[in-house]
Amino acid sequence: MAQAVSDEAWLQAMLDVEAALARAQAAVGVVPRAAAEAIAAACGASRFDVARIGQEARRSANPVPALVRQLTSALPAEAAAWVHWGATSQDILDSAMMLVARRGLDLITADLAGLAAACAGLAERHRATLMPGRTLLQQALPITFGLKAAGWLVAVDEARVRLVEVRRQRLAVQLGGAAGTLAALGERGLEVAAALARELRLAEPVLPWHTARARVAELGAALAVAAGVAGKIALDVVLLAQTEVAEVSEGSPGGSSTLPQKRNPAAAVEVRAAARSAVAPAGLLLGLMDHEQERAAGSWQAEWPALTEVLLLTSGATGRAGEMLEQLVVDEERMLANLAQSGEPLMAESVTMSLAARVGRARALELVGTSLQRVQSSRTSLREELLTDPGITGHLSAAEIAEALEPAAYLGSTSKMIDRALAAHAQRSDPR
Amino acid sequence: MAQAVSDEAWLQAMLDVEAALARAQAAVGVVPRAAAEAIAAACGASRFDVARIGQEARRSANPVPALVRQLTSALPAEAAAWVHWGATSQDILDSAMMLVARRGLDLITADLAGLAAACAGLAERHRATLMPGRTLLQQALPITFGLKAAGWLVAVDEARVRLVEVRRQRLAVQLGGAAGTLAALGERGLEVAAALARELRLAEPVLPWHTARARVAELGAALAVAAGVAGKIALDVVLLAQTEVAEVSEGSPGGSSTLPQKRNPAAAVEVRAAARSAVAPAGLLLGLMDHEQERAAGSWQAEWPALTEVLLLTSGATGRAGEMLEQLVVDEERMLANLAQSGEPLMAESVTMSLAARVGRARALELVGTSLQRVQSSRTSLREELLTDPGITGHLSAAEIAEALEPAAYLGSTSKMIDRALAAHAQRSDPR
Amino acid sequence: MAQAVSDEAWLQAMLDVEAALARAQAAVGVVPRAAAEAIAAACGASRFDVARIGQEARRSANPVPALVRQLTSALPAEAAAWVHWGATSQDILDSAMMLVARRGLDLITADLAGLAAACAGLAERHRATLMPGRTLLQQALPITFGLKAAGWLVAVDEARVRLVEVRRQRLAVQLGGAAGTLAALGERGLEVAAALARELRLAEPVLPWHTARARVAELGAALAVAAGVAGKIALDVVLLAQTEVAEVSEGSPGGSSTLPQKRNPAAAVEVRAAARSAVAPAGLLLGLMDHEQERAAGSWQAEWPALTEVLLLTSGATGRAGEMLEQLVVDEERMLANLAQSGEPLMAESVTMSLAARVGRARALELVGTSLQRVQSSRTSLREELLTDPGITGHLSAAEIAEALEPAAYLGSTSKMIDRALAAHAQRSDPR
Amino acid sequence: MAQAVSDEAWLQAMLDVEAALARAQAAVGVVPRAAAEAIAAACGASRFDVARIGQEARRSANPVPALVRQLTSALPAEAAAWVHWGATSQDILDSAMMLVARRGLDLITADLAGLAAACAGLAERHRATLMPGRTLLQQALPITFGLKAAGWLVAVDEARVRLVEVRRQRLAVQLGGAAGTLAALGERGLEVAAALARELRLAEPVLPWHTARARVAELGAALAVAAGVAGKIALDVVLLAQTEVAEVSEGSPGGSSTLPQKRNPAAAVEVRAAARSAVAPAGLLLGLMDHEQERAAGSWQAEWPALTEVLLLTSGATGRAGEMLEQLVVDEERMLANLAQSGEPLMAESVTMSLAARVGRARALELVGTSLQRVQSSRTSLREELLTDPGITGHLSAAEIAEALEPAAYLGSTSKMIDRALAAHAQRSDPR
């Protein structure tokens, strides 16, 4: 990704737009075909002096005038005459930004596909691997590790679908000319815009969007959401990898500069760092929609680095998360052991529900609560306490109590949910 | 909107979910129909002590346990037994949040429809009203006020379409039980979830989304984008209403506490304030996706006020923007006068393009640039300077120069663009 | 705090400024003393119609004109004539904002003093309570719970000191008149401003700060930092309260709506939610510094709710954190048990350092690392492995190895650090 | 600045910390002096393979272990043995971050000093240059351009003072060892920390601050405030440079890729872009204070790029703002002409105040308001209308009315304020 959003990549994208513009105008008959081909042929970033363009960019607060000067001077007069014809700097930069975004999205959606595959593998493989479900970081009820992975899977798939949607619907060509009227192209403006969209394989917008920045803001938000999905997975991994939990560990844990025994969840840490950071440029893009009149004096110029950064960070989060999950080491024994640590009290809801069907929810909560208090004070087992309470044994037999205390029997729709997640994934994985 | 997101509205939404849950379970056969009806009948917010629920909410870090206690105690035992059956606090709150969001979205999409109508009216009415287009707040080229309004229109319509999409696709029921397995509902969990979705007319998600928060983050982002669209319009209004520009004024301008002559763009100021503020809770929601394991210890609880706030602020921005535009006073004479102030130099691109078709873009820029410099030093008119330069008159006749200096003749695709925007609007305004 | 930042509190603060302005002008001789006293006497919020002021505020995008109208109409002509003399809306609102902020800061610094006291108590009491130090949530080295609390203490104290500093240096009166020149007060403007500062006990700024908003941004940031300090403590509590760690629990844990056994860290959860949320309005205030010319068209108006919110959230975080720590239940046995769980490998650095003094750091890391690997593969103890490696026993005696494996002997500067933190706290707790 | 925060600069800063650590330990007698000197001599960044360190950094989620490996392997055994003695990665990185921050702050405070000098020059030079003051972008009252510049000046000076304060008080050494106890240094930990602080000329904190991140958050906020101050100046410049206002222009305005007549405020645009962007990493740093236990799993790692970015952006904003103001072209005639455009109505407050002293503020507002309405409907002058209203002429003579309508006579404390700002600046410019 670093390459896809480098200064060189941005420069090439701008040149791609200049080349496509010339070709689109040739197709429409506005520019001579030979001139267009000469322009297109000259649009290789390696021929340009990136540093100088960067330096001169300061003068205009954008790099396009300098780029156009270099491009023009590299061409014979009859082609040079047609460079940048009818366009304005923002046309080039905005369209280039869409190309950069597209390349970035392709990498990230591929990352997400890999991450989803890793989730799906874990969901399938650990469909029945019992572990404690934790709410507010307290053990709550048994779940399976497969269900947790299925939850990750659905989130990853939905984030990917949204990015694919943004890619298809919101990456649009920008061509408006100096003030959005396409005046310099006379009657042919919209025709050229349509041809340019075809050349660049970008959507054709209803109007030029030079000061309508929702598509950039939405792109940033969708990327941050994808990063956030990876971040949630990494957070779970960090928590499950804690010394006292130890239910998972990374395949290639990180070392410490001083502690030889440390097995740090380094990948998860990096995913979390990237995911949390991605929110900043995404939030910035949401706040940069206030473009003045026909071109913004600051909000527009701030978009380029923000978009670059949110692409980089999201890619960092999603790519590394995939590697992390693919290599994840799952300790099923430890999961069972942790479940056993909480022991029967974890099954309190199960007993409550069995009882509630007979005596009502409120009364059942009360009865089971009393038993739990006795467990805590007397250090007996919940089963013992339940069996000594006539309020309970009057309604539940010993066998029913035993059944209610069995974690594997109290998983509800876990298996069906995993099926649903895998089925939805299979469907969504079809080529777009 | 204040009402739609009030504490009472949240309470009623939670009660609506409890009622719908009972009914859904009755439909599926999990709960006796009579009990369900009794529960549903008791779920009127006015019967509840909101203040006490608020106070007790602190104990559990969420209001549902207190609400369930009040609801249970208000019912006869045979109905009380079935209250909140198989659900957990987050099921109630998350589903209620979707109901609150839906009501908020309905108000905001209606606001946006009104705002779009106002934009469309201006686009149509001022299709040919000449004014200066301004880039980096410098006069650049002539546009029409109708084109500016058409740009607003497309942005408003797209924001509305996105909100409608979010409303339809992302407002989903949440039902997972204590740890997301629906364990307390045995085999019937998913059936109940589907029935609950039908009762509440919410989408049925692939899996419970208790810790997959993309839908909340996306909702916040889409709202902030809508607010941002209104904010851009308000920014344009503030700038056009400046004393020195004076092209528009508000129908009901604000007064000053000390300056009797002030006619402040008060509505635009309030829209801008709301729009800029909306980014903060939206950014926060993007950053709150890191929910720990099966229920978050803080990120979840922070969502409720953030969503409330982004709904309020977006509604403030979009609603007030509609009123502002409906009453907007447009001074066509002043627009023309401002255009004349810049005078012929504003038409420099027009002359350049005419000339470029004959001598190439680079040479044309050079020739016109020289004329412009002479204009500045000698305080003559551009027309005079152009006519005295044989490098120009050798390629353009006096009539061609005159034509090139005519603003109304250099509007490019303006009129077609307005048609496109109005046509897209007409299509999008169809009932969803 | 809810009361201190309520609509009524803002209204009273604005009235306090109007009253103080009249008195300051009387002191300077600009306004008749009798008129000033009549104005001051009328400035009780309870006499005003808050709802109507709120409604009319929309017209001017600020509430002061409506308030001035109500105040004026409540007074006899000879006093009414002098209401709001020479001031502008922003003077009243900005100075009122400082009063609201001061009251909020007083509450929050008191909260922080309480929180610091709780930290200091824990630091003292648990000075020698061994527990695992955890880095990247992996057990790393032994620390004491007192040291952890000492770390919290220093952070709380520093946040409080910063808020006290902001309160003293940055809460300044605003008086500039309609455009910042104090023109309406002729020659007496700065004299009145100084007198107003004295009346309100606010700092006198070098210049009116109507569009220099650093003090508001800094206030927001300092509050968010204080909230962040509380949030870090709450995060530690949530993590230490995890079922598998169980080293602390809240004194009044929260219940669940469905799981009778749950003991949720409800206070920590609420502190975290508030702390994370506080960043949003604080970040917004940082972003609202771009005030246009002599009064902002949006950025100013967005400050009031953002400041209100950051005060509320910070107060929520710091106040609740104090209660949480005061009641915190610390399980010393469990801390020791968790330390033992990692066992001797946790002491690897200790052994390494003992060895490094003889063979160098790199070689020592290598030797101890090899022993650790053998521990993992052979499930022996680290002591056994160390004692069987001649590379180690050649440099360390069995007694030295035993000493190096003793957690309580490897606490470094822990005790001195606790002393430093307590000493710094004692010094800082002196009345300001 | 790009150089001061480059990867190489970070690397050198980390090496500076390793070198200083060795020297500090030699000073205290923990490490042999010869070893320390050998280590220090090896700590030149140019000898290291930055790319490889970057690559290996991924494994540990931080670059220090790789750096320590390279450093160790470059030394003879007797020196290598003492590398990184008793420290942990975070000690090196956090202390290095402070060094990077210090260098960045030095550049930025120098930028701010230059910016302040430019402001002071304008304030002095344009002390009496009349121009319209504008509130909500409406002309309000006459001010002078010198007063506006004085307002900028005070803001710049206060931002600089705050950064100097942060630099002095909050840039502190970090040394805690693996879990913050300095265990590996036995009894000598705090002594080494003090010596290290002296070596690096950083403050010695009360305790290691590995998870107390207020100083990083405060640093980010103070930088964003400085950027915001520059951004406000740039916003004023953009607005004053508008075609219709034209009161200032940049000395080296930017060109357009298509419009030969454009004179874009390119510097102001870049300052605004940088200033708005700086808020994002600063807000992120405020939100990253939630560090888990004794070392964060993500929040810490996200700080490095965020701090780098906020330094870069603030430097971009403040440095460019200085150049912009130094070259600013001020059009005094145009300022007067714009003032005249609003004409006498702008002096309405002046007349009102003169009248209010005789008839009270409410009655005066009413009388002047009526005259203003007549001006608007009848297109007469305000003077004429005032002179025909017996309600006014009964209290003000024609000479008094003429005096009240004179802009230069209604500047209140403008000149004294400029003196105050310049005096405060002179005092603050003393060497720190």
Side-chain angles (χ1 to χ4, degrees), chain B residues 301-314:
Chain B
Q301 296 77 4
E303 283 177 2
W304 319 323
L307 183 66
T308 292
E309 206 187 339
V310 73
L311 285 167
L312 269 172
L313 290 165
T314 303

Side-chain angles (χ1 to χ4, degrees), chain C residues 60-61 68 72 77 80-87 131-137 140-144 147-148 150-151 154-155 158-159 162 165 169-170 175-190 204-208 211-212 214-215 217-218 220-222 224-226 228-229 231-232 235-237 239-240 272 276 279 282-284 286-298 300-301 349 352-353 356-357 359-362 410-414 416-418 420-421 424 428, chain D residues 60-61 68 72 77 80-87 131-137 140-144 147-148 150-151 154-155 158-159 162 165 169-170 175-190 204-208 211-212 214-215 217-218 220-222 224-226 228-229 231-232 235-237 239-240 272 276 279 282-284 286-298 300-301 349 352-353 356-357 359-362 410-414 416-418 420-421 424 428:
Chain C
S60 313
V68 169
T72 304
W82 298 100
V83 165
H84 196 64
W85 188 261
M131 71 181 292
R134 296 170 175 99
T135 57
L136 314 198
L137 293 181
L141 275 189
I143 62 169
T144 73
L147 180 61
K148 180 185 285 280
V154 173
E158 290 184 357
R162 173 73 185 133
E165 192 179 84
Q169 298 172 353
R170 300 301 267 156
L175 189 68
T181 60
L182 286 168
L185 294 172
E187 289 296 303
R188 316 296 297 275
L190 293 175
E204 193 190 344
V206 178
L207 287 197
T211 57
R215 62 190 76 234
E218 288 175 13
V225 165
V229 165
K232 187 273 187 279
L235 175 56
D236 281 359
V237 167
L239 291 169
L240 294 175
R272 290 196 73 205
R276 295 196 66 172
V279 176
L284 178 59
L286 281 177
L288 288 175
M289 290 181 64
D290 50 351
H291 283 220
E292 292 93 356
Q293 308 291 16
E294 279 62 63
R295 180 151 318 126
W300 174 51
Q301 296 77 5
E349 190 201 53
T352 306
M353 290 307 292
V359 303
R361 200 174 154 282
Y410 196 64
L411 289 170
S413 305
T414 294
K416 286 184 205 161
M417 285 180 181
I418 295 172
R420 277 171 80 135
R428 278 166 172 159
Chain D
S60 313
V68 168
T72 304
W82 298 100
V83 164
H84 195 64
W85 189 261
M131 71 182 291
R134 296 169 175 98
T135 57
L136 313 199
L137 292 181
L141 274 191
I143 62 169
T144 73
L147 180 61
K148 181 186 284 281
V154 173
E158 290 183 357
R162 172 75 185 131
E165 192 181 84
Q169 298 172 353
R170 302 300 268 156
L175 190 68
T181 61
L182 287 168
L185 294 172
E187 289 296 304
R188 316 296 297 275
L190 293 174
E204 193 190 344
V206 177
L207 286 197
T211 57
R215 60 189 78 233
E218 288 175 12
V225 165
V229 166
K232 187 272 187 282
L235 175 56
D236 282 358
V237 168
L239 291 169
L240 294 175
R272 290 195 73 204
R276 294 195 66 171
V279 176
L284 179 59
L286 282 178
L288 288 175
M289 290 181 65
D290 51 349
H291 283 222
E292 291 94 357
Q293 307 291 13
E294 279 64 61
R295 181 153 316 126
W300 175 51
Q301 296 78 4
E349 189 200 55
T352 306
M353 290 308 291
V359 304
R361 200 174 155 281
Y410 196 65
L411 288 170
S413 305
T414 294
K416 287 184 205 162
M417 286 180 181
I418 295 172
R420 279 171 80 136
R428 279 164 172 160

Side-chain angles (χ1 to χ4, degrees), chain C residues 204-347:
Chain C
E204 193 190 344
V206 178
L207 287 197
W209 48 277
H210 42 134
T211 57
R213 311 309 286 183
R215 62 190 76 234
V216 187
E218 288 175 13
L219 176 56
L223 287 164
V225 165
V229 165
K232 187 273 187 279
I233 299 175
L235 175 56
D236 281 359
V237 167
V238 163
L239 291 169
L240 294 175
Q242 290 175 99
T243 306
E244 298 83 3
V245 179
E247 297 179 1
V248 307
S249 57
E250 293 196 358
S252 316
S256 151
S257 68
T258 179
L259 299 178
Q261 88 280 10
K262 283 295 284 296
R263 296 289 172 267
N264 286 325
V269 163
E270 291 208 339
V271 173
R272 290 196 73 205
R276 295 196 66 172
S277 301
V279 176
L284 178 59
L285 287 172
L286 281 177
L288 288 175
M289 290 181 64
D290 50 351
H291 283 220
E292 292 93 356
Q293 308 291 16
E294 279 62 63
R295 180 151 318 126
S299 307
W300 174 51
Q301 296 77 5
E303 283 177 3
W304 320 323
L307 183 67
T308 292
E309 206 187 339
V310 73
L311 284 167
L312 270 173
L313 290 164
T314 303
S315 165
T318 56
R320 194 84 197 263
E323 296 169 27
M324 171 185 78
L325 280 200
E326 279 157 22
Q327 302 178 19
L328 197 74
V329 180
V330 178
D331 187 338
E332 305 190 13
E333 281 179 43
R334 183 62 185 254
M335 288 175 172
L336 267 182
N338 285 340
L339 198 53
Q341 184 197 344
S342 277
E344 296 167 344
L346 202 68
M347 303 308 297

Side-chain angles (χ1 to χ4, degrees), chain A residues 104-128:
Chain A
L105 286 175
D106 286 345
L107 295 172
I108 289 167
T109 49
D111 280 347
L112 288 171
L115 177 56
C119 292
L122 291 169
E124 185 63 83
R125 210 147 58 241
H126 294 285
R127 168 187 290 277

Side-chain angles (χ1 to χ4, degrees), chain A residues 276-412:
Chain A
R276 294 196 66 171
S277 301
V279 176
L284 178 58
L285 287 172
L286 281 178
L288 289 174
M289 291 181 65
D290 50 350
H291 283 220
E292 291 93 357
Q293 308 291 14
E294 279 63 62
R295 182 153 315 126
S299 308
W300 174 50
Q301 296 78 5
E303 283 177 2
W304 319 323
L307 183 66
T308 292
E309 205 187 338
V310 73
L311 284 166
L312 270 172
L313 290 164
T314 302
S315 165
T318 55
R320 194 81 198 265
E323 296 169 28
M324 172 185 78
L325 280 201
E326 279 157 24
Q327 302 178 20
L328 197 72
V329 180
V330 178
D331 186 338
E332 304 190 13
E333 281 179 43
R334 183 62 184 252
M335 287 174 172
L336 268 183
N338 286 340
L339 198 54
Q341 184 197 344
S342 277
E344 294 167 345
L346 202 67
M347 303 308 297
E349 189 200 55
S350 173
V351 179
T352 306
M353 290 308 290
S354 300
L355 199 54
R358 316 264 161 97
V359 303
R361 201 175 154 280
R363 176 77 182 133
L365 272 172
E366 194 186 320
L367 284 165
V368 176
T370 309
S371 289
L372 281 168
Q373 281 165 5
R374 289 200 310 263
V375 168
Q376 284 172 343
S377 54
S378 62
R379 307 242 163 182
T380 51
S381 78
L382 179 58
R383 180 187 313 245
E384 288 172 287
E385 291 300 339
L386 295 170
L387 287 171
T388 59
D389 185 341
I392 290 167
T393 52
H395 300 284
L396 292 180
S397 71
E400 283 169 329
I401 289 174
E403 166 74 11
L405 289 170
E406 173 54 41
Y410 195 64
L411 288 170

